[in-house]
Amino acid sequence: MAALLVYRWRLAPDGMATRRQLRALGLRPGGQDVAAQLERPRRRRGPLVANLYRIDRAKPVRPMTPGRRAALEAAMRARRTCPTCHRDAGYCIPSSLGMCVTCAGAS
């Protein structure tokens, strides 16, 4: 196993990007291995690490299919539905409360 190249924060070479940067370009890693790592030092803890992928090997993002769209909408609807009052809260229910803010305030 070869060691990964490690670059300091903001010093990554051109042609490499993180997953988020690839997504902003409409790309995905596409099964390629991590090409390098980016490290951001912190004072009292270990460094933040981000994986870098080669842009030239990245593939386009897969298009959203009707089935995928329906599944995503169902999952988001479940996150917005209060288990206590069974209403759509219009926002994702905080996991710290476990119910909508209205129900949490009433109890």
Side-chain angles (χ1 to χ4, degrees):
M1 181 174 142
L4 288 175
L5 295 173
V6 178
Y7 296 101
R8 302 246 327 149
W9 186 250
R10 298 185 188 264
L11 295 177
D14 292 335
M16 290 191 167
T18 63
R19 280 184 178 270
R20 285 187 179 196
Q21 291 169 337
L22 286 176
R23 187 63 181 211
L25 295 171
L27 300 171
R28 61 186 170 95
Q32 67 174 301
D33 292 331
V34 175
Q37 286 186 335
L38 189 65
E39 281 190 355
R40 178 179 176 204
R42 297 190 290 182
R43 291 184 182 189
R44 293 185 176 97
R45 293 182 279 174
L48 290 175
V49 178
N51 293 329
L52 294 172
Y53 300 91
R54 292 184 46 176
I55 295 175
D56 59 344
R57 289 187 182 174
K59 295 180 181 177
V61 174
R62 293 183 185 121
M64 183 67 75
T65 63
R68 250 192 192 160
R69 185 176 308 282
L72 182 59
E73 287 172 1
M76 292 307 294
R77 188 171 39 256
R79 289 184 65 192
R80 291 190 313 263
T81 304
C82 177
T84 306
C85 64
H86 304 291
R87 281 188 268 169
D88 187 338
Y91 54 87
C92 289
I93 304 294
S95 59
S96 60
L97 296 177
M99 59 185 79
C100 66
V101 176
T102 308
C103 292
S107 60

